[in-house]
Amino acid sequence: MNKLFVDTETTGLNPYKDYLQLIGYANGDGQIEIINFLNPDFKGLFFSACLKATDTLKVGHNLNFDLLFLNLNEYKTVGPYFDTQLYFHIQDPYQSSKLKDLGERILKRKVIRLEDIVENKEKEGYIKIGHDNEKGYGFIEKDTLSRYLVQDVTLTRDLYKYIEHRGVSEYYVRVEQPLIQMILDMELRGIKIDRDRLEIFDKELRKEVLKLEKYFDRLGINPRSPKQVREY
């Protein structure tokens, strides 16, 4: 089966308020291509066709994030899908499954993180990334962002090759992998909620969380630390 490795760069994390800046993709072992969302040219047409091909596996890291942005911006997608972040989280939920962390830990690579290359002040020709309260927020030169995106597509592709060598569990294939499409469908369609009841439930949960935090405090354990919980 053909493989399409995908990653995106956006102005923020909310697909209903923020927008795409760049799309990075690689068709199998081919060259990594960068699409400027505002000027997609012929590469955008080829990429769009690949997204709709049922004989092409779309591979990404935290793939549902990219799929939602793409579908809301006229890049319709069709499965099958594979999420490398989901795979590694299932393998060891107590270890970080973030792309850069896996690049360092699994692939033994020196990686560039977004917060290392953004600048605080806007300059001519620079792109705004994220929001004020987000890690990595700032302004970045477009060519620098393109190189950063190439790195992320490369990491995703190499992590997938690592997974191919190790093998994929039946649980992932039968349970987790189909959920990628289901979650995407839910996000695109939305769901009806009872806001009043949800607010009541939220208050109840907050009280329960507070009780649990006090319990763990008495034990000298930080419940938000996977390491401490695992050792306990």
Side-chain angles (χ1 to χ4, degrees), residues 124-140:
E124 185 178 352
Y126 275 49
I127 299 173
K128 180 182 179 182
I129 295 294
H131 296 294
D132 295 356
N133 61 343
E134 293 175 0
K135 190 175 183 180
Y137 162 79
F139 302 90
I140 185 170

Side-chain angles (χ1 to χ4, degrees), residues 5 26 28-30 32 152-161:
F5 301 94
D29 290 327
I32 295 172
D152 285 1
V153 176
T154 301
L155 290 173
T156 300
R157 179 164 59 185
D158 291 346
L159 285 170
Y160 180 78
K161 290 181 178 180

Side-chain angles (χ1 to χ4, degrees), residues 174-202:
R174 296 186 61 182
V175 178
E176 297 291 347
Q177 199 165 357
L179 285 174
I180 297 172
Q181 181 67 60
M182 294 179 190
I183 292 171
L184 176 62
D185 291 341
M186 289 173 62
E187 289 176 319
L188 289 172
R189 182 173 180 176
I191 56 175
K192 291 183 178 180
I193 60 172
D194 184 332
R195 295 185 63 178
D196 293 336
R197 184 169 179 79
L198 187 64
E199 288 177 2
I200 293 172
F201 185 53
D202 179 63

Side-chain angles (χ1 to χ4, degrees), residues 71-124:
N71 277 273
L72 290 173
N73 288 278
E74 305 305 323
Y75 281 101
K76 303 306 177 184
T77 65
V78 177
Y81 304 114
F82 192 97
D83 189 334
T84 51
Q85 183 184 43
L86 184 58
Y87 171 89
F88 283 104
H89 176 73
I90 292 169
Q91 292 297 304
D92 188 351
Y94 298 107
Q95 290 264 35
S96 170
S97 57
K98 294 180 179 179
L99 183 60
K100 309 304 186 300
D101 294 340
L102 289 169
E104 292 175 336
R105 189 174 74 248
I106 301 296
L107 302 176
K108 310 300 180 185
R109 304 274 177 81
K110 182 178 180 181
V111 302
I112 300 172
R113 298 176 185 270
L114 190 59
E115 57 265 28
D116 297 329
I117 55 177
V118 295
E119 298 188 19
N120 295 326
K121 295 182 179 180
E122 186 174 6
K123 297 181 180 179
E124 185 178 352

